[in-house]
Amino acid sequence: MERIVEIDWEPEEHGDERPSNFSNNPTFAEIVEARFGRRGLLKGALGTAIAGLFSGTALATLAREALAAAGPKIGFEPVPVSTADAVTVPPGYKVQVLIPWGTPIDGKAPAFSIDNTGADQARQVGSHHDGMHFFPIDGSSSDGLLVVNHEYVEPRFMHKSAIGKPLSEDDVPMGADGLRDPDEVLKEINAHGVTIVRIKRGDDGQWRVVDDPRNRRITAATPMEIGGPVRGTDFVKTKYSPDGTRTRGTINNCAHGVTPWNTYLTCEENWAGYFVNRDKGADGKPAQPREHARYGVPTEKSRYSWERARGGADEFARFDASKRGASALEDYRNEPNGFGWVVEIDPFRPNSVPIKRTALGRFAHEGVIFAPTKPGKPVVCYSGDDARFEYIYKFVSAKAYDPATASGALLDEGTLYVAKFNPDGTGEWLPLVFGKGPLTPENGFTSQADVLVNTRLAADKLGATKMDRPEWGAVDPGTGMVYFTLTNNSRRKPEQVEPANPRPASEFGHIIRWREENDDHTSTRFTWDIFVLAGGPDDSRDLAGKPLAATSMFACPDGLWFDADRRLWIQTDMGEENMYKGKLAQFGSNQMLCANPETGEIRRFLVGPIGQEITGVVTTPDQRTMFINVQHPGATTSKEDFAAGKFASNWPDGKGVPRSATVVITREDGGIIGA
Ligand code: FEO
Ligand code: CA
Ligand code: CA
Ligand code: CA
């Protein structure tokens, strides 16, 4: 296997990283051709292939079992699709906006203003709220720590220098000298990461931020430890950390996880685009180490040009991973290897240093979801790699779970597996273990750290199944079945269609689910089926085999969460470039729906304002308060409107720049959300 890879890509697409899986792994096409015949598959991606799949013995059993129970109560009146610049909820429900971008996290930080500096931002809530968890204080349902990921930023909405001005083609304010204002860059860095704030419900029913020693911001500059097998290896040695034990910051924190020992995991998703590596080969063409190339590190410029901050300070220059010094200790060629990980944060210990848990693999981690944990059994968690044609992984700890001693150390030792979905409805977990199968020196792997830093390449070698952009996962607390959203895949060609990803150029996405053999989450075998093929009435299919209706149709599932009563909450992200256009126009703005995992019934619960996506969902322990996030309202603002000082959305303030925020949902009668 070559260690330096020549780059020949299509231009980067905004936000999500471009596809970089050029491996020849089967997409099932050949196997499926034998089973269903290519003609049948092409003709009826919604017909022949799926019908055949659902009649498989394992799946017929699953379907029978699923229909045997009624499932959780879903009691609200569904809301229609909407393009209002507001949050729409069912009759009897109410909403409160909480912690929009720029909210001070303590009693001292400056109030939100477009004039806030980089230093101000370090003590204010970040932007682009995403995955989130409510950690109750002493089991309370009215007092707890809200921990929120901040996935990315929209520089044009962040700086006074940008509003109403023509910007660079990347929508970034750029000086005439081709450099960026360093305080604006710092503000963007500090708007990333994670917010921890104590919130409390007052006697008036309103939730407010309470000043607390645990309130803190973790940003793209916060010092962090590198844990697990990659710690101390050559892959992560930099000028900042010559012994390869530390790095600075976490970026593109998409979804999250909550460990059985009550800490928070934040996941680094589309991190590659924050870096640039302009290294060239002998022929003058871009050439990068495989640790960069297989993840899509850009070859010309980074997404926000942080490395071009005026003055060239080390904290900004580190985003340029091109070779500059004589050795890796003199530059930041290894800086990107410190990203793409799952990061553990203890919200209850404000002085604790976040730790990157490298045994969980390096890829575009959407989120991480734990299986129910039993004392004496290993800890198991699942994570999707959200890029077109990437994979779904699971980690099984080496040591057993003991509630008395459990800690993040459990995540440093264990086996990472990647999923293979067979066309007959069975599947297997393939271990990413150095020395096992093809993961040997003959194939270019030199250690377990090498396998982990190059997780995607290792998974390629094992023949994992290329999926339609795996996003959130969720485990049914009733059956233990694991559900994953597969949001869409514009690039899947008809000959790449297979039962687990059954549609070419999938515009609408689907939700897949599986049951581990013997209901044992450590098992290496499973059976799977498709819970729902999303889309409009002409394109969709629910669990009962019927098309979705006006009250249940949706596109591009992303966020996914089971509440304690087994209601499955589905959130959508149609992508700001595509929403309101073509066949996606029928769905209005991004939304949240509620599904019954037994019957497959789906009802639309909430629609968000213009240009945003709904993401992040959790309730208080009593299930009477729900928190969700509205991310990137107004992202659909055109360049022309922006230059004229107009925004597609003014949510939540009703004027000025749109701001991402958390939304608190309660019932007028104080009842359980969704019931
Ligand atoms: Fe950050 Fe895949 O959504
Ligand atoms: Ca997402
Ligand atoms: Ca998404
Ligand atoms: Ca998105």
Side-chain angles (χ1 to χ4, degrees), residues 267-323:
C267 298
E268 299 177 338
E269 191 196 20
N270 292 313
W271 50 272
Y274 289 72
F275 297 93
V276 61
N277 178 346
R278 298 189 190 86
D279 288 352
K280 304 272 194 299
D283 57 1
K285 287 190 184 152
Q288 296 180 344
R290 58 186 193 158
E291 293 82 15
H292 298 184
R294 182 65 180 80
Y295 296 94
V297 170
T299 55
E300 285 174 24
K301 58 181 179 181
S302 72
R303 188 173 304 151
Y304 302 128
S305 296
W306 287 349
E307 76 283 1
R308 289 162 76 176
R310 201 171 290 116
D314 188 69
E315 65 191 291
F316 308 129
R318 68 185 168 114
F319 292 99
D320 184 346
S322 312
K323 281 183 193 157

Coordinates of all heavy atoms in Angstrom, one line a residue, residues 267-323:
C267 N -18.0 14.2 19.0 CA -17.5 13.5 17.8 C -17.0 14.5 16.7 O -17.8 15.4 16.4 CB -18.5 12.6 17.3 SG -19.0 11.3 18.5
E268 N -15.8 14.3 16.2 CA -15.2 15.1 15.2 C -15.6 14.6 13.8 O -15.2 13.5 13.4 CB -13.7 15.2 15.4 CG -13.3 15.8 16.8 CD -11.9 15.8 17.1 OE1 -11.1 15.0 16.4 OE2 -11.4 16.6 17.9
E269 N -16.4 15.4 13.1 CA -17.0 14.9 11.8 C -16.2 15.4 10.6 O -15.3 14.9 10.2 CB -18.5 15.2 11.7 CG -19.2 14.5 10.6 CD -20.5 15.0 10.2 OE1 -20.8 16.2 10.5 OE2 -21.3 14.3 9.5
N270 N -16.7 16.6 10.1 CA -16.0 17.1 8.8 C -14.8 18.0 9.2 O -14.8 19.1 8.8 CB -17.0 17.8 8.0 CG -18.1 16.8 7.4 OD1 -17.8 15.8 6.9 ND2 -19.4 17.2 7.6
W271 N -13.8 17.3 9.8 CA -12.6 18.1 10.3 C -11.6 18.3 9.2 O -10.8 19.2 9.3 CB -12.0 17.3 11.5 CG -11.8 15.8 11.1 CD1 -12.7 14.8 11.3 CD2 -10.7 15.3 10.5 NE1 -12.2 13.7 10.7 CE2 -11.0 13.9 10.3 CE3 -9.4 15.8 10.0 CZ2 -10.0 13.0 9.6 CZ3 -8.5 14.9 9.4 CH2 -8.8 13.6 9.2
A272 N -11.6 17.4 8.2 CA -10.5 17.4 7.3 C -10.3 18.8 6.6 O -9.2 19.3 6.3 CB -10.6 16.3 6.2
G273 N -11.5 19.4 6.3 CA -11.5 20.6 5.5 C -11.0 21.9 6.3 O -10.8 22.9 5.7
Y274 N -10.7 21.7 7.6 CA -10.2 22.8 8.3 C -8.7 23.0 8.1 O -8.1 23.9 8.5 CB -10.4 22.6 9.8 CG -11.9 22.8 10.2 CD1 -12.8 21.9 9.9 CD2 -12.3 23.9 10.9 CE1 -14.1 22.0 10.2 CE2 -13.6 24.1 11.3 CZ -14.5 23.1 10.9 OH -15.9 23.3 11.2
F275 N -8.1 21.9 7.4 CA -6.6 21.9 7.2 C -6.4 22.1 5.7 O -7.3 22.0 4.9 CB -6.1 20.6 7.7 CG -6.2 20.3 9.2 CD1 -7.3 19.7 9.7 CD2 -5.3 20.8 10.0 CE1 -7.5 19.5 11.0 CE2 -5.5 20.7 11.4 CZ -6.6 20.0 11.9
V276 N -5.1 22.3 5.4 CA -4.6 22.3 4.0 C -3.3 21.6 4.1 O -2.5 21.8 5.0 CB -4.6 23.7 3.4 CG1 -3.6 24.6 4.2 CG2 -4.2 23.7 1.9
N277 N -3.0 20.8 3.0 CA -1.7 20.3 2.9 C -1.3 20.4 1.4 O -1.9 19.7 0.5 CB -1.6 18.8 3.3 CG -0.2 18.2 3.1 OD1 0.6 18.8 2.4 ND2 0.0 17.0 3.6
R278 N -0.4 21.4 1.1 CA -0.1 21.7 -0.3 C 1.1 20.9 -0.8 O 1.7 21.3 -1.8 CB 0.2 23.2 -0.4 CG -0.9 24.1 -0.1 CD -0.6 25.6 -0.4 NE -1.7 26.4 0.1 CZ -1.7 26.9 1.4 NH1 -0.7 26.6 2.2 NH2 -2.6 27.7 1.8
D279 N 1.6 19.9 0.0 CA 2.8 19.1 -0.5 C 2.6 18.6 -1.9 O 1.5 18.2 -2.3 CB 3.0 17.9 0.5 CG 3.5 18.4 1.8 OD1 3.9 19.6 2.0 OD2 3.6 17.5 2.7
K280 N 3.7 18.6 -2.6 CA 3.6 18.1 -4.0 C 4.6 17.0 -4.2 O 5.6 16.9 -3.5 CB 4.1 19.3 -5.0 CG 3.3 20.5 -4.9 CD 2.0 20.5 -5.7 CE 1.4 21.9 -5.9 NZ 0.9 22.5 -4.6
G281 N 4.3 16.1 -5.1 CA 5.2 15.0 -5.5 C 6.3 15.5 -6.5 O 6.3 16.7 -6.9
A282 N 7.2 14.6 -6.9 CA 8.3 14.9 -7.8 C 7.7 15.5 -9.1 O 8.4 16.3 -9.8 CB 9.1 13.7 -8.0
D283 N 6.5 15.0 -9.5 CA 6.0 15.5 -10.8 C 5.2 16.8 -10.6 O 4.6 17.3 -11.6 CB 5.0 14.4 -11.3 CG 3.9 14.0 -10.4 OD1 3.9 14.6 -9.3 OD2 3.1 13.1 -10.7
G284 N 5.3 17.4 -9.4 CA 4.6 18.7 -9.2 C 3.1 18.6 -8.9 O 2.5 19.6 -8.7
K285 N 2.6 17.4 -8.8 CA 1.1 17.2 -8.5 C 1.0 17.1 -7.0 O 1.9 16.6 -6.3 CB 0.6 15.9 -9.2 CG 0.4 16.0 -10.7 CD -0.3 14.8 -11.2 CE -0.4 14.9 -12.7 NZ -0.5 13.5 -13.3
P286 N -0.2 17.5 -6.5 CA -0.5 17.4 -5.0 C -0.2 15.9 -4.6 O -0.7 15.0 -5.3 CB -1.9 17.7 -4.9 CG -2.2 18.6 -6.1 CD -1.4 18.1 -7.2
A287 N 0.5 15.8 -3.5 CA 0.7 14.4 -2.9 C 0.7 14.5 -1.4 O 1.4 15.4 -0.8 CB 2.1 13.9 -3.4
Q288 N -0.1 13.7 -0.8 CA -0.2 13.8 0.7 C 0.0 12.4 1.3 O -0.2 11.4 0.6 CB -1.7 14.2 1.1 CG -2.0 15.6 0.6 CD -3.5 15.9 1.0 OE1 -4.3 15.1 1.4 NE2 -3.8 17.2 1.0
P289 N 0.4 12.3 2.6 CA 0.4 11.0 3.3 C -1.0 10.5 3.3 O -2.0 11.2 3.3 CB 0.9 11.3 4.7 CG 0.8 12.8 4.8 CD 0.8 13.4 3.5
R290 N -1.1 9.2 3.3 CA -2.5 8.5 3.2 C -3.3 8.9 4.4 O -4.6 8.9 4.3 CB -2.3 7.0 3.1 CG -1.6 6.4 4.3 CD -1.4 4.9 4.1 NE -0.9 4.3 5.3 CZ -1.1 3.0 5.5 NH1 -1.6 2.2 4.6 NH2 -0.7 2.4 6.6
E291 N -2.7 9.3 5.5 CA -3.5 9.7 6.7 C -4.3 11.0 6.4 O -5.2 11.4 7.1 CB -2.6 10.0 7.9 CG -1.9 8.8 8.5 CD -0.6 8.3 7.7 OE1 -0.1 9.1 6.9 OE2 -0.2 7.2 7.9
H292 N -3.8 11.8 5.4 CA -4.5 13.0 5.0 C -5.4 12.7 3.8 O -6.6 13.0 3.8 CB -3.6 14.1 4.6 CG -2.7 14.5 5.7 ND1 -1.8 15.6 5.6 CD2 -2.5 14.1 7.0 CE1 -1.1 15.7 6.7 NE2 -1.5 14.9 7.6
A293 N -4.8 12.0 2.8 CA -5.5 11.8 1.5 C -6.8 11.1 1.7 O -7.8 11.5 1.0 CB -4.6 11.1 0.5
R294 N -6.8 10.0 2.5 CA -8.1 9.2 2.6 C -9.2 9.9 3.3 O -10.3 9.4 3.3 CB -7.7 7.8 3.2 CG -8.8 6.8 3.4 CD -9.3 6.3 2.0 NE -10.4 5.4 2.2 CZ -11.7 5.7 2.4 NH1 -12.0 7.0 2.5 NH2 -12.6 4.8 2.6
Y295 N -8.9 11.0 3.9 CA -9.9 11.8 4.6 C -10.3 13.1 3.9 O -11.1 13.8 4.3 CB -9.4 12.1 6.1 CG -9.3 10.8 6.9 CD1 -8.1 10.2 6.9 CD2 -10.4 10.2 7.4 CE1 -7.9 9.0 7.6 CE2 -10.3 9.0 8.1 CZ -9.0 8.4 8.2 OH -8.9 7.2 8.9
G296 N -9.6 13.4 2.8 CA -10.0 14.5 2.0 C -9.4 15.9 2.5 O -10.0 16.9 2.4
V297 N -8.2 15.9 3.1 CA -7.6 17.1 3.5 C -7.3 17.9 2.2 O -6.8 17.4 1.2 CB -6.2 16.9 4.2 CG1 -5.4 18.2 4.4 CG2 -6.5 16.3 5.6
P298 N -7.8 19.2 2.1 CA -7.7 20.0 0.9 C -6.2 20.2 0.5 O -5.3 20.2 1.3 CB -8.3 21.3 1.2 CG -9.2 21.0 2.4 CD -8.6 19.9 3.2
T299 N -6.0 20.4 -0.8 CA -4.7 20.5 -1.4 C -4.4 22.0 -1.7 O -3.2 22.3 -2.0 CB -4.6 19.7 -2.7 OG1 -5.6 20.1 -3.6 CG2 -4.7 18.2 -2.4
E300 N -5.3 22.9 -1.6 CA -5.1 24.3 -2.0 C -5.4 25.3 -0.9 O -4.6 26.1 -0.5 CB -5.8 24.7 -3.2 CG -5.2 24.1 -4.5 CD -6.0 24.3 -5.7 OE1 -6.8 25.3 -5.7 OE2 -5.9 23.5 -6.6
K301 N -6.6 25.1 -0.3 CA -7.0 26.1 0.8 C -7.9 25.4 1.7 O -8.7 24.5 1.3 CB -7.6 27.3 0.2 CG -8.8 27.0 -0.7 CD -9.4 28.3 -1.2 CE -10.6 27.9 -2.1 NZ -11.3 29.0 -2.7
S302 N -7.9 25.8 3.0 CA -8.8 25.2 3.9 C -10.2 25.9 3.9 O -10.3 27.0 3.2 CB -8.2 25.4 5.3 OG -8.3 26.7 5.8
R303 N -11.2 25.4 4.6 CA -12.5 25.9 4.5 C -12.7 27.3 4.9 O -13.3 28.1 4.2 CB -13.4 25.0 5.3 CG -14.9 25.3 5.2 CD -15.7 24.2 6.0 NE -15.4 22.9 5.5 CZ -15.5 21.8 6.3 NH1 -15.9 21.9 7.5 NH2 -15.2 20.6 5.8
Y304 N -12.0 27.7 6.0 CA -12.2 29.1 6.5 C -10.9 29.9 6.5 O -10.8 31.0 7.0 CB -12.6 29.0 8.0 CG -14.0 28.3 8.2 CD1 -14.0 27.3 9.2 CD2 -15.1 28.6 7.5 CE1 -15.2 26.6 9.4 CE2 -16.3 28.0 7.8 CZ -16.4 27.0 8.7 OH -17.6 26.3 9.0
S305 N -9.8 29.3 5.9 CA -8.5 30.0 5.8 C -8.0 30.4 7.2 O -7.4 31.5 7.3 CB -8.6 31.2 4.8 OG -8.9 30.7 3.5
W306 N -8.2 29.7 8.2 CA -7.6 30.0 9.5 C -6.1 30.1 9.5 O -5.5 30.9 10.2 CB -8.0 29.0 10.6 CG -9.5 29.1 11.0 CD1 -10.4 30.0 10.7 CD2 -10.2 28.1 11.8 NE1 -11.6 29.8 11.3 CE2 -11.5 28.6 12.0 CE3 -9.8 26.9 12.4 CZ2 -12.5 27.9 12.7 CZ3 -10.8 26.2 13.2 CH2 -12.1 26.7 13.3
E307 N -5.5 29.3 8.6 CA -4.0 29.3 8.5 C -3.5 30.6 7.9 O -2.3 30.9 8.0 CB -3.5 28.1 7.7 CG -3.7 28.2 6.2 CD -5.1 27.9 5.7 OE1 -6.0 27.7 6.5 OE2 -5.3 28.0 4.5
R308 N -4.4 31.4 7.4 CA -4.0 32.7 6.8 C -4.3 33.8 7.7 O -4.5 35.0 7.2 CB -4.7 32.8 5.4 CG -4.1 31.8 4.4 CD -5.0 31.6 3.2 NE -4.9 32.8 2.3 CZ -5.6 32.8 1.1 NH1 -6.3 31.7 0.8 NH2 -5.5 33.8 0.3
A309 N -4.3 33.6 9.0 CA -4.5 34.7 9.9 C -3.3 35.6 9.8 O -2.2 35.1 9.9 CB -4.7 34.2 11.3
R310 N -3.5 36.9 9.7 CA -2.4 37.9 9.6 C -1.5 37.8 10.9 O -2.0 37.7 12.0 CB -3.0 39.3 9.5 CG -2.1 40.3 8.9 CD -2.8 41.7 8.6 NE -3.8 41.5 7.5 CZ -5.1 41.6 7.7 NH1 -5.7 41.9 8.8 NH2 -5.9 41.5 6.6
G311 N -0.2 37.8 10.6 CA 0.8 37.7 11.7 C 1.4 36.3 11.9 O 2.4 36.1 12.4
G312 N 0.6 35.3 11.3 CA 1.2 33.9 11.3 C 1.4 33.2 12.6 O 2.3 32.4 12.7
A313 N 0.7 33.6 13.6 CA 0.8 33.0 15.0 C 0.7 31.4 14.8 O -0.1 31.0 14.0 CB -0.2 33.5 16.0
D314 N 1.5 30.8 15.6 CA 1.5 29.3 15.6 C 0.1 28.7 15.8 O -0.2 27.7 15.1 CB 2.4 28.9 16.8 CG 2.7 27.4 16.8 OD1 3.4 27.0 15.9 OD2 2.2 26.8 17.7
E315 N -0.7 29.3 16.6 CA -2.0 28.7 16.9 C -2.9 28.7 15.7 O -3.9 27.9 15.6 CB -2.7 29.4 18.1 CG -3.0 30.9 17.7 CD -3.4 31.7 19.0 OE1 -4.5 31.4 19.5 OE2 -2.7 32.6 19.3
F316 N -2.6 29.5 14.7 CA -3.4 29.6 13.5 C -2.6 28.8 12.3 O -3.3 28.1 11.5 CB -3.7 31.0 13.0 CG -4.3 31.9 14.1 CD1 -3.8 33.1 14.4 CD2 -5.4 31.4 14.8 CE1 -4.4 33.9 15.4 CE2 -6.0 32.2 15.8 CZ -5.5 33.5 16.1
A317 N -1.3 29.0 12.3 CA -0.5 28.4 11.2 C -0.6 26.9 11.3 O -0.3 26.2 10.3 CB 0.9 28.9 11.4
R318 N -0.9 26.3 12.5 CA -1.0 24.9 12.6 C -2.0 24.2 11.7 O -2.0 23.0 11.5 CB -1.3 24.5 14.0 CG -2.6 24.9 14.5 CD -2.8 24.6 16.0 NE -4.0 25.2 16.5 CZ -5.1 24.5 17.0 NH1 -5.0 23.2 17.0 NH2 -6.1 25.1 17.5
F319 N -3.0 25.0 11.2 CA -4.0 24.4 10.3 C -3.4 24.2 8.9 O -4.1 23.7 8.0 CB -5.2 25.3 10.3 CG -6.0 25.2 11.6 CD1 -5.8 26.2 12.5 CD2 -6.7 24.1 11.9 CE1 -6.5 26.1 13.8 CE2 -7.4 24.0 13.1 CZ -7.2 25.0 14.1
D320 N -2.2 24.7 8.6 CA -1.5 24.3 7.4 C -0.5 23.1 7.7 O 0.5 23.3 8.4 CB -0.6 25.5 6.9 CG 0.0 25.3 5.6 OD1 0.1 24.1 5.1 OD2 0.5 26.3 4.9
A321 N -0.9 22.0 7.1 CA -0.1 20.8 7.4 C 0.9 20.5 6.3 O 1.5 19.4 6.3 CB -1.1 19.6 7.5
S322 N 1.2 21.5 5.5 CA 2.3 21.2 4.5 C 3.6 21.1 5.3 O 3.8 21.7 6.3 CB 2.4 22.4 3.6 OG 1.1 22.8 3.1
K323 N 4.5 20.4 4.7 CA 5.9 20.2 5.3 C 6.6 21.6 5.2 O 6.7 22.1 4.1 CB 6.7 19.2 4.6 CG 6.3 17.8 5.0 CD 7.2 16.8 4.3 CE 6.7 15.4 4.4 NZ 7.1 14.5 3.4

